[in-house]
């Protein structure tokens, strides 16, 4: 293990007391610690050993600080994770976020002042936590996780992920799995991932290539089924149908060229009024401004307490993995996934999610997809976005023999476009393997098409 | 063992999928319906074919509800804001949480005044407050006589270096207030004993949180305040990798707005339809066989089921399918009615009807929660002092006696249908629901008159109760265990449950017993002096503390088994005690330390429960919650 020489955490006799609570636990073995685990003997040297333990750690923290900052009333995973890691004794934390501070954030942001406008949120949040927790070094990066390559990710010990987008998690997951080099144990970076929605959440630990990965777990998160356009266009029944109609159809018809800004109250008001009028035509009750905003912006309900629970659970696992102070989730053959629900009492379900041999990211086998041989390629491509096990929006499809369909470059797209109206049975054979790539992901997915008889 | 699938777990519990739904999307393909506006074709990306058919359903899997697509956050009760002004700044600020507890919940939160009695490392209480200040609790007070030390700075986020030597109550209070300018906060630096010497000290607070370590007599004093005033009390432990909290609610803590899953609340009354519903069904299914393809594929499934029930009854002496076998046969008969010569090879409304047979064809029954409310003494013996909850409950139980059913909630799930048919169906249910509410309201007014009550219960309260009647919940709050020196906890009617849990691998009751021993240890080490700090296990000598605490835990276990009267084999007892010893060792190992992550996690759980108690929405923990940060598991026990 490469050890970077870090500045000593304790700078004087006073501050040796600073980590008293942490050091007490790290200096004593417990009934569940590994028999080989060596705590520091007396308190003072335990402090020393705890220091070294932390100083050799690199952490990357990726969070939706975006959420934290836009909706501080609701709290965000990002802020929680940053705070928790700093107070877990981690000293070198990196944070990635792509947003900058907007004037409209200021009224609700104590973290940000007028002078901060235009600055990256990651930078300002990092400074804030550095000020609160002395001795921690937080390196912000303002950008997308996709801007960084393997070499960048290789420097870290662990990745803690609090992303609110499925695409970003899948990208991160695929990158970390792809990085694993069997001859270099250091290339395997544990990924700790958390997410919340309302009173529900989950925290899970992934040891890339060894345990179930985000892609293995993908079918646990079925995408929402889509609303057929016909319902919106001809037989709306729910207020939401009217709002989607205003959002997708009316706007396009009447304000084409205006790009819709869901943060612009004038735009939302316009959609609301359109939806309300349509609802009145069909006698559908219940369209409100708040609902319009919820549908158009796809607002996921959020509360500070669930974020706190999930973020703390993730950081607790990170702490246990780093220190071995107790068994952690994700050790192969043990539980790796905690689901949480808090609307009726407090309920957790902690279990082992099994790795899948046919996982398109970490498995060796192509994943079978049952298809109708008489359906056309266009339908198959559309279905890839909806199938829980695929969820690919812009797929490029190749078989070993030929190019089936390319999204880009334009020349290839044009060349393969005629295939869109062909039946699958004309293009492929039963059981044939295809490679599907998508610009949202760094890797290629392997699927085996099984013809439905 | 096969890995449990997400659907098994969540659907079993809730009947729906929840997490990580990607953005709702409108399907932009497969729709070749001729009457689409021209603009749509740019989305569909293809020109309409010559087909006159609307086959948009063809890529739907059978039985799949197109409208689950838009599982919309529940709308707020708040009035629509003025059209040109948009939401108020408060609605904007709290938008995401208002979608969970609405304006009424927010108002309750803003009216609350919380007291935190903080001790020990004091992190879990502050983390709890953080999660309450962010959503906008009205007022909080921190009582803490502690002085800020170096150790505080390594574990508490709401303190800074410059505060060393100052009062912890003062500085945590100030930094918490920075989180939300709408929240009022203050602090008290008195010792708890002198604070409580004022008889009225606890009176201003609507909810009190106490963190361990705290002396047993102090805890007893606070607990008796809860018993006499009904003020909810949370008693909290957070030690090393473990956390535990107990909630003392009033013995009669009813919740109307439990937020049940929308799918579990469907009450369609297909076996007991009322005349106007039957009439609608007959009108809309007349000439079903002769209908054109479009009309046939758009008869709402509720009406289809009523139609096929009519046919079934005609052949079965007027009896609806009752047992599983009959229901399966009935389902077959519905499925046979579907046309298969359609472009998609089936009909979505029939798919929906078939899928609904087993869950919708049930006679109305009374859930255990409602039954408990109806049977409660408070419901049966009303007095002039009765709370409005009990008056409405009584009125609804009278309604139930008369009709053998609860008032109709009146909501109808979305289903494949023409707009006007769906709206007509919806109105038929709503009208009946309004009629039922009217009858309950009459009952309520009669009771009010009888009791000589001067103020009327609001119509909105009666309406909310009627709509949620099937899912109302009564929590019988009870005091938590206080370990007085040399005494054993009284388990009362929970002894049997607790003793049976000793051998349940999923229960954390053994950890709870370890926490009782933890308190026992503190009680037996308490010195008398004012403001003297408690001695916690593991602070000095770990091995002797383990021995002492373990023997206390074993004594509590033996006593529990005895109180329960349950026979437990020697080997079972040995296994249980072995596990207790591990918990004891881990607690002693911490020496009273808090780990920030565990405090933060527990702070999330406690804040969530405080919000439920304050808003009287959702279902609170009743009455003990434990979290094991080693196994990443929780357990809720009624003890
Ligand atoms: Zn995988």
């Amino acid at each position: 293990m490469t050890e970077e020489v870090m500045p000593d955490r304790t700078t004087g006799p006073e501050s040796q007391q600073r980590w008293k609570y942490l050091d007490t636990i790290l200096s004593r073995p417990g009934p569940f610690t590994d028999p080989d685990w060596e705590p520091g003997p007396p308190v003072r040297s335990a402090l020393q050993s705890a220091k070294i333990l932390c100083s050799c750690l690199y952490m990357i923290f990726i969070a939706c600080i975006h959420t934290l900052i836009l909706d501080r009333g609701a709290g965000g995973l990002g802020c929680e994770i940053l705070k928790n890691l700093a107070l877990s004794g981690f000293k070198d934390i990196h944070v990635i976020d792509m947003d900058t501070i907007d004037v409209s954030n200021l009224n609700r942001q104590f973290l940000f002042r007028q002078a901060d406008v235009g600055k990256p949120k990651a930078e300002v949040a990092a400074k804030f936590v550095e000020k609160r927790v002395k001795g921690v070094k937080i390196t912000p990066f303002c950008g997308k996780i996709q801007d960084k390559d393997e070499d960048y990710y290789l420097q870290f010990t662990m990745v803690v992920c609090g992303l609110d987008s499925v695409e970003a998690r899948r990208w991160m997951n695929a990158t970390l799995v792809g990085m694993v080099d069997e001859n270099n144990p250091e290339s395997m970076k544990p990924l700790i991932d958390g997410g919340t929605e309302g009173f529900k959440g989950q925290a899970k630990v992934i040891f890339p290539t060894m345990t179930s990965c985000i892609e293995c777990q993908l079918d646990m998160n079925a995408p929402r089924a889509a609303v057929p356009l016909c319902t919106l266009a001809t037989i709306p029944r729910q207020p939401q149908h009217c709002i989607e109609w205003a959002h997708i159809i009316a706007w396009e018809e009447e304000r084409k060229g205006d790009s819709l800004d869901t943060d612009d109250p004038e735009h939302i008001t316009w959609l609301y009024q359109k939806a309300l009028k349509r609802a009145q035509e069909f006698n559908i009750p219940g369209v409100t401004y708040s609902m319009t905003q919820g549908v158009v912006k796809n607002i996921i309900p959020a509360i500070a307490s669930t974020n706190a629970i999930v973020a703390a659970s993730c950081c607790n696992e990170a702490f246990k993995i780093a220190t071995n102070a107790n068994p952690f989730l994700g050790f192969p053959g043990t539980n790796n996934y905690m689901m949480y629900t808090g609307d009726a009492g407090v309920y957790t379900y902690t279990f082992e999610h099994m790795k899948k041999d046919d996982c398109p990211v970490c498995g060796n086998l192509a994943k079978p997809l049952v298809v109708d041989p008489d359906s056309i390629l266009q339908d198959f491509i559309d279905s890839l976005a909806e199938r829980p096990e695929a969820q690919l929006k812009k797929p490029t499809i190749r078989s070993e023999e030929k190019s089936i369909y390319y999204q880009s470059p334009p020349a290839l797209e044009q060349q393969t476009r005629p295939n869109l109206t062909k039946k699958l049975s004309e293009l492929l054979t039963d059981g044939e393997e295809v490679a599907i790539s998508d610009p949202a992901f760094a890797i290629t997915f392997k699927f085996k098409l099984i013809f439905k008889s | 063992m096969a890995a449990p699938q997400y659907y098994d777990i969540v659907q079993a519990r809730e009947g729906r999928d929840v997490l990580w739904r990607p953005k709702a999307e409108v399907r932009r393909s497969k729709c070749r319906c001729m009457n689409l506006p021209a603009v749509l074709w740019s989305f569909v990306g293809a020109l309409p074919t010559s087909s006159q058919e609307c086959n948009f359903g063809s890529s739907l899997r059978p039985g799949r509800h197109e409208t689950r697509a838009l599982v919309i956050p529940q709308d707020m009760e708040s009035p629509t804001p003025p059209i040109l002004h948009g939401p108020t700044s408060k609605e904007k600020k709290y938008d995401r949480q208002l979608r969970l507890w609405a304006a009424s919940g927010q108002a309750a939160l803003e009216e609350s005044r919380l007291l935190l009695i903080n001790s020990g490392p004091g992190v879990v209480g502050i983390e709890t407050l953080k999660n309450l200040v962010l959503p906008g609790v009205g007022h909080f007070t921190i009582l803490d006589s502690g002085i800020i030390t170096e150790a505080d700075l390594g574990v508490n986020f709401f303190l800074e270096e410059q505060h060393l030597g100052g009062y912890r109550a003062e500085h945590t209070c100030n930094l918490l207030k920075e989180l939300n300018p709408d929240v009022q906060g203050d602090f008290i630096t008195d010792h708890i004993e002198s604070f409580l010497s004022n008889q009225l000290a606890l009176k201003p607070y609507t909810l009190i949180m106490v963190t361990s370590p705290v002396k047993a007599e102090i805890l007893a004093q606070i607990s008796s305040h809860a018993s006499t005033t009904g003020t909810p009390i949370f008693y909290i432990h957070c030690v090393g990798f473990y956390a535990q909290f107990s909630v003392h609610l009033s013995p009669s803590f009813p919740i109307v707005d439990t937020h049940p899953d929308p799918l579990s609340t469907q009450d369609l009354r297909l076996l007991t339809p009322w005349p106007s519903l039957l009439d609608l069904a007959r009108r809309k299914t007349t000439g079903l066989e002769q209908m054109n393809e479009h009309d046939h594929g758009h008869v709402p499934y509720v009406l289809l089921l009523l139609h096929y029930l009519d046919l079934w009854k005609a052949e079965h002496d007027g009896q609806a399918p009752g047992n599983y076998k009959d229901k399966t046969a009935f389902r077959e008969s519905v499925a046979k009615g579907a046309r298969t010569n359609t472009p998609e090879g089936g009909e979505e409304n029939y798919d929906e009807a078939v899928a609904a047979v087993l869950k919708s064809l049930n006679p109305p029954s009374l859930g255990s929660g409602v039954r408990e409310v109806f049977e409660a003494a408070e419901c049966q013996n009303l007095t002039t002092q009765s709370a409005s909850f009990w008056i409405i409950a009584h009125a609804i139980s009278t309604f139930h006696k008369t009709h053998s059913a609860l008032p109709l909630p009146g909501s109808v799930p979305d289903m494949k249908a023409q707009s006007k048919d769906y709206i007509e169906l919806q109105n038929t249910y709503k009208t009946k629901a309004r009629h039922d509410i009217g009858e309950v309201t009459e009952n309520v007014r009669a009771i009010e008159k009888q009791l000589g009550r001067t103020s009327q219960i609001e119509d909105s309260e009666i309406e909310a109760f009627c709509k949620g009647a099937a899912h109302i919940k009564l929590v019988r709050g009870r005091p938590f265990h206080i370990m007085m020196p040399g005494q054993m906890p009284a388990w009362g009617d929970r002894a049997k449950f607790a003793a049976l849990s000793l051998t349940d691998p999923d229960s954390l009751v053994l950890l709870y017993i370890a926490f009782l021993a933890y308190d026992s240890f503190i009680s037996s080490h308490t010195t008398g002096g004012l403001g003297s700090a408690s001695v916690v296990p593991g602070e000095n000598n770990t091995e002797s503390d383990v021995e002492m605490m373990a023997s206390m835990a074993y004594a509590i276990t033996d006593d529990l088994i005895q109180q329960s009267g349950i026979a437990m084999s020697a080997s079972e007892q040995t296994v249980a005690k072995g596990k207790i010893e591990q918990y004891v060792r881990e607690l002693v190992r911490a020496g009273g330390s808090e780990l920030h992550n565990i405090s933060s996690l527990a702070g999330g759980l406690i804040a969530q429960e405080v919000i439920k108690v304050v808003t009287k929405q959702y279902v609170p923990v009743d009455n003990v919650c434990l979290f094991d940060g080693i196994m990443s598991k929780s357990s809720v026990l009624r003890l």
Side-chain angles (χ1 to χ4, degrees):
Chain A
M1 201 156 188
T2 49
E3 280 186 19
E4 202 81 0
V5 180
M6 300 295 300
D8 200 313
R9 189 174 69 202
T10 56
T11 49
E14 231 71 288
S15 40
Q16 291 189 345
Q17 277 296 305
R18 177 151 310 180
W19 301 89
K20 183 180 102 178
Y21 297 124
L22 205 65
D23 290 341
T24 302
I25 287 164
L26 294 180
S27 68
R28 296 169 173 177
F32 304 101
T33 44
D34 193 281
D36 294 337
W37 186 69
E38 276 190 47
V43 180
R44 202 158 278 274
S45 63
L47 270 169
Q48 294 300 56
S49 74
K51 250 185 294 163
I52 299 160
L53 197 63
C54 291
S55 65
C56 67
L57 287 172
Y58 279 87
M59 294 284 310
I60 177 168
F61 145 78
I62 299 166
C64 47
I65 287 199
H66 176 72
T67 317
L68 136 83
I69 276 130
L70 283 178
D71 300 285
R72 233 177 25 81
L77 277 179
C79 180
E80 289 287 340
I81 294 178
L82 203 47
K83 162 184 78 81
N84 295 345
L85 290 179
L87 288 174
S88 296
F90 290 112
K91 298 197 58 184
D92 193 2
I93 304 168
H94 290 240
V95 50
I96 298 189
D97 186 79
M98 59 184 284
D99 278 345
T100 52
I101 296 158
D102 187 75
V103 184
S104 70
N105 299 148
L106 288 178
N107 59 333
R108 295 173 281 146
Q109 309 304 321
F110 82 94
L111 268 179
F112 306 124
R113 307 280 180 258
Q114 187 68 41
D116 295 326
V117 170
K119 285 187 193 162
K121 288 171 178 174
E123 196 177 282
V124 180
K127 277 211 184 95
F128 185 88
V129 177
E130 276 186 346
K131 181 166 168 280
R132 277 281 165 91
V133 186
K134 283 282 176 319
V136 64
K137 184 167 149 261
I138 302 178
T139 313
F141 169 71
C142 179
K144 289 194 291 193
I145 53 170
Q146 290 90 341
D147 294 344
K148 296 291 192 182
D149 58 13
E150 280 196 11
D151 283 346
Y152 175 79
Y153 290 108
L154 264 169
Q155 65 178 308
F156 301 109
T157 313
M158 254 184 261
V159 176
V160 180
C161 216
L163 295 161
D164 62 357
S165 119
V166 183
E167 265 85 37
R169 316 187 122 109
R170 288 173 72 188
W171 187 90
M172 191 75 247
N173 177 62
T175 303
L176 293 181
V177 172
M179 257 163 55
V180 177
D181 169 1
E182 275 173 39
N183 302 316
N184 175 16
E186 296 291 305
S187 65
M188 207 225 6
K189 315 291 178 189
L191 169 64
I192 303 164
D193 178 68
T196 71
E197 177 180 336
F199 284 99
K200 301 174 174 64
Q202 13 85 348
K204 55 206 180 200
V205 179
I206 291 151
F207 284 82
T209 70
M210 294 174 74
T211 63
S212 157
C213 78
I214 300 273
E215 208 70 25
C216 293
Q217 299 160 4
L218 201 59
D219 58 359
M220 295 181 67
N221 319 304
R224 288 189 211 200
V227 185
L229 280 169
C230 273
T231 294
L232 305 186
T234 60
I235 47 166
R237 299 175 297 267
Q238 302 294 337
Q240 291 87 354
H241 295 159
C242 301
I243 295 166
E244 280 292 14
W245 174 85
H247 180 197
I248 298 207
I249 298 170
W251 184 273
E252 199 65 20
E253 268 182 342
E254 296 175 36
R255 297 187 66 166
K256 205 175 174 106
D258 253 359
S259 71
L260 179 68
D261 175 4
T262 55
D263 286 323
D264 184 338
E266 189 271 323
H267 289 188
I268 298 285
T269 304
W270 190 89
L271 293 176
Y272 163 60
Q273 286 170 323
K274 278 284 157 192
L276 194 62
K277 199 157 157 267
R278 183 167 176 84
Q280 280 159 355
E281 279 166 33
F282 286 91
N283 290 315
I284 298 168
V287 172
T288 62
Y289 187 95
S290 157
M291 184 191 278
T292 308
Q293 211 178 15
V295 171
V296 173
K297 295 177 78 172
N298 187 36
I299 296 174
I300 295 169
I303 35 174
S305 49
T306 316
N307 283 336
I309 292 161
V310 167
S313 180
C314 288
C315 296
N316 181 40
E317 297 309 324
F319 175 73
K320 289 188 290 180
I321 292 171
T323 61
N324 268 307
N326 257 324
F328 46 83
L329 288 185
F331 188 82
T334 64
N335 291 346
N336 55 8
Y337 200 123
M338 179 190 84
M339 293 205 331
Y340 171 79
T341 320
D343 50 358
V346 163
Y347 177 80
T348 52
Y349 186 80
T350 309
F351 64 98
E352 183 186 7
H353 190 282
M354 303 302 273
K355 186 173 180 309
K356 292 187 176 144
D357 287 340
D358 60 359
C359 169
V361 169
C362 74
N364 319 315
L365 306 172
K367 192 175 188 70
L369 273 186
V370 179
V371 294
D372 176 358
D374 293 329
S375 64
I376 58 170
L377 181 63
Q378 176 73 60
D379 290 348
F380 173 65
I381 287 179
D382 294 340
S383 77
L384 283 175
E386 281 176 39
R387 283 173 183 256
E389 68 271 41
Q391 300 181 39
L392 299 168
K393 302 230 167 69
K394 286 190 159 178
T396 282
I397 307 173
R398 282 174 289 115
S399 73
E400 213 165 302
E401 307 274 293
K402 54 189 174 230
S403 307
I404 309 288
Y405 182 70
Y406 274 79
Q407 300 274 351
S408 64
L412 266 178
E413 196 280 332
Q414 207 145 37
Q415 211 183 324
T416 52
R417 196 187 298 166
N419 285 345
L420 287 176
T421 50
K422 288 191 187 147
K423 286 183 177 178
L424 289 180
S425 55
E426 295 171 50
L427 296 165
L428 295 156
T429 56
D430 189 6
E432 193 167 347
E433 277 187 25
V434 292
I436 304 181
S437 55
D438 187 298
F441 305 101
I443 54 140
T444 298
F445 299 85
K446 265 196 295 181
F447 288 106
K448 184 176 184 173
L449 299 192
I450 311 291
F451 285 178
K452 188 162 63 182
S453 49
Chain B
M1 193 188 79
Q5 291 295 300
Y6 178 81
Y7 285 113
D8 297 342
I9 303 152
V10 173
Q11 284 196 331
R13 265 178 59 75
E14 331 211 319
R16 64 167 173 166
D17 59 315
V18 273
L19 295 173
W20 297 117
R21 278 185 309 249
K23 195 168 154 45
E25 272 169 21
V26 171
R27 188 179 318 122
R28 296 182 171 180
S29 58
K30 271 304 196 181
C31 189
R32 296 177 184 88
C33 184
M34 290 310 288
N35 38 12
L36 282 185
V39 62
L40 283 186
W41 297 111
S42 63
F43 287 103
V44 177
L47 285 171
T49 63
S50 59
S51 160
Q52 292 293 311
E53 304 302 335
C54 167
N55 66 341
F56 66 80
S58 58
S59 68
L60 282 174
R61 276 168 278 167
R64 181 151 152 203
H65 255 237
E66 60 189 62
T67 49
R68 305 256 165 83
L70 285 166
V71 181
I72 300 303
Q74 279 160 9
D75 199 36
M76 288 181 273
E77 289 157 19
S78 62
T80 307
I83 283 170
L84 292 173
H85 298 112
T88 64
S89 64
K90 190 192 265 179
E91 281 167 340
K92 263 194 247 166
K93 176 169 165 178
Y94 296 133
D95 185 44
R96 285 171 172 236
Q97 68 197 41
L98 284 170
R99 288 168 198 278
L100 292 169
W101 53 68
S104 58
Q106 188 65 27
L109 197 59
E110 288 171 16
E111 276 160 27
S112 62
R113 293 180 68 90
L114 314 179
L115 172 65
L116 167 67
I117 298 176
N118 211 11
S119 66
V123 186
V124 61
I126 300 300
E127 287 290 306
T128 303
L129 283 181
K130 174 205 73 200
N131 299 323
L132 293 164
V133 169
L134 284 170
V137 73
H139 187 283
F140 71 91
T141 300
I142 300 173
L143 172 83
D144 188 346
S145 56
I147 301 294
I148 298 160
T149 64
E150 275 287 338
D152 285 310
L153 300 182
V155 72
N156 197 327
F157 191 70
F158 294 93
L159 288 174
E160 289 180 349
E161 210 146 55
Q162 69 213 21
H163 302 140
L164 274 171
Y167 278 111
R168 197 164 67 177
E170 176 184 353
H171 296 290
T172 48
C173 171
N174 290 340
L175 292 190
L176 280 171
K177 280 202 288 187
E178 274 190 2
L179 293 172
N180 191 343
D182 295 339
V183 174
Q184 307 286 312
D186 56 23
F187 60 93
I188 299 164
T189 57
D190 292 348
H191 290 298
I192 179 75
E193 289 90 341
S194 41
F195 171 74
L196 286 178
S197 65
N198 173 357
Q199 297 285 316
L200 298 175
L202 296 174
K203 198 165 174 268
Y205 305 103
T206 54
L207 187 144
I208 300 166
M209 294 171 276
V210 189
T211 63
S212 160
V214 58
K215 288 171 189 157
E217 314 88 77
I218 302 281
L219 206 51
Q221 203 177 335
I222 297 165
S223 178
S224 97
H225 172 76
S227 299
T228 47
T229 62
T231 310
I233 310 283
F234 285 65
Y235 174 45
I236 302 157
H237 284 97
C238 196
V239 183
F241 285 92
Y242 296 133
Q244 178 266 329
F245 64 93
S246 303
V247 189
H248 181 175
L249 296 176
S250 101
S252 167
F253 190 90
I255 308 141
V256 175
D257 201 355
T258 53
H259 293 263
D261 187 280
L263 294 182
S264 74
T265 55
Q266 280 174 24
D267 182 359
L268 298 172
R269 305 280 165 98
L270 295 177
L271 295 181
T272 51
W274 56 98
S276 61
L277 178 62
L278 270 181
D279 177 59
L280 180 70
R282 286 179 187 146
R283 276 192 289 123
K284 296 292 176 187
T285 54
T286 309
L288 189 64
E289 317 282 301
Q290 288 77 44
M291 280 181 190
N292 66 35
E293 195 177 287
H294 182 267
D295 289 350
H296 195 265
H298 284 79
V299 179
Y301 84 80
V302 167
L303 303 182
L304 283 179
L305 285 178
L306 288 166
H307 170 73
Y308 287 101
L309 274 171
D310 260 359
L311 298 182
W312 174 277
K313 284 184 196 164
E315 287 171 18
H316 295 82
D317 307 324
Q319 296 298 307
N323 55 33
Y324 181 79
K325 194 170 149 259
D326 281 355
K327 282 185 196 171
T328 325
F330 174 70
R331 192 169 58 180
E332 281 300 303
S333 75
V334 177
K336 276 199 196 108
R339 294 186 188 168
T340 50
N341 58 347
T342 59
E344 57 269 39
E347 288 176 306
E348 210 185 335
N349 54 339
Y350 273 84
D351 292 341
E352 290 172 353
V354 166
V357 167
L358 291 180
K359 64 173 195 270
S360 306
L361 292 194
N362 296 309
S365 70
L366 211 51
S368 60
V370 197
R371 193 182 302 275
E372 201 184 325
V373 170
F374 286 174
E375 285 165 3
E378 295 99 316
C379 181
Q380 293 181 351
N381 314 312
L382 295 178
T383 68
T384 40
Q385 265 76 54
S386 290
S388 47
F389 175 90
W390 292 114
I391 294 175
I392 306 172
H394 186 96
I396 290 182
S397 77
T398 308
F399 181 98
H400 185 261
K401 263 181 220 140
T402 317
H403 303 281
S404 303
L406 290 169
L408 185 76
S411 58
V412 182
D414 192 40
M415 60 192 76
K416 178 81 176 284
Q418 305 263 41
S419 305
K420 67 172 178 35
D421 290 347
Y422 179 78
I423 302 298
E424 201 174 347
L425 177 70
Q426 210 178 26
N427 284 335
T428 307
Y429 275 85
K430 277 190 190 161
T431 308
K432 165 79 167 119
R434 266 197 295 271
H435 180 269
D436 288 358
I437 293 169
E439 191 178 322
V440 172
T441 308
E442 272 174 41
N443 292 349
V444 169
R445 300 297 172 231
I447 298 166
E448 283 173 336
K449 212 169 154 193
Q450 216 178 321
L451 295 174
R453 272 175 65 114
T454 44
S455 61
Q456 278 205 337
I457 296 170
E458 300 260 351
D459 284 341
S460 58
E461 197 178 340
I462 302 172
E463 189 180 329
F465 204 133
C466 288
K467 285 190 172 156
H471 299 271
I472 49 173
K473 169 107 185 137
L474 175 64
V475 177
R476 291 293 193 193
R478 47 204 289 134
F480 42 79
H481 297 128
I482 299 173
M483 299 303 291
M484 301 304 277
Q487 285 182 21
M488 284 290 155
W491 298 88
D493 60 347
R494 302 308 291 161
K496 203 170 167 186
F497 165 79
L500 289 172
S501 304
L502 293 172
T503 48
D504 174 1
D506 290 327
S507 169
L508 290 177
V509 75
L510 300 172
L511 176 58
Y512 180 71
I513 290 175
F515 270 116
L516 289 178
Y518 191 87
D519 280 6
S520 237
F521 182 100
I522 293 169
S523 279
S524 61
H525 285 75
T526 296
T527 51
L530 179 70
S532 58
S534 299
V535 178
V536 296
E539 218 166 309
N540 304 310
N541 190 331
T542 55
E543 208 42 50
S544 68
D545 286 0
V546 165
E547 241 166 72
M548 183 168 183
M549 217 177 118
S551 71
M552 288 168 162
Y554 300 157
I556 294 168
T557 312
D558 292 339
D559 179 65
L560 165 64
I561 296 169
Q562 205 189 0
Q563 285 189 40
S564 73
I566 283 172
M568 216 173 131
S569 74
S571 64
E572 280 176 329
Q573 293 196 30
T574 311
V575 171
K577 285 179 181 172
K579 285 186 188 164
I580 288 178
E581 196 210 317
Q582 289 185 312
Y583 288 132
V584 165
R585 283 194 175 277
E586 187 65 33
L587 286 171
V588 171
R589 175 192 185 193
S593 299
E594 283 187 50
L595 284 175
H596 185 82
N597 291 323
I598 303 300
S599 306
S600 186
L601 197 152
L605 297 175
I606 298 158
Q608 169 189 290
E609 295 308 308
V610 167
I611 289 169
K612 290 185 205 168
V613 168
V614 164
T615 61
K616 293 213 163 69
Q617 292 186 36
Y618 298 93
V619 182
V621 159
D622 176 21
N623 59 345
V624 172
C625 178
L626 296 127
F627 184 80
D628 173 349
I630 299 171
M631 303 305 289
S632 229
K633 275 181 182 168
S634 70
S635 179
V636 172
L637 306 166
R638 185 152 201 269
L639 296 172

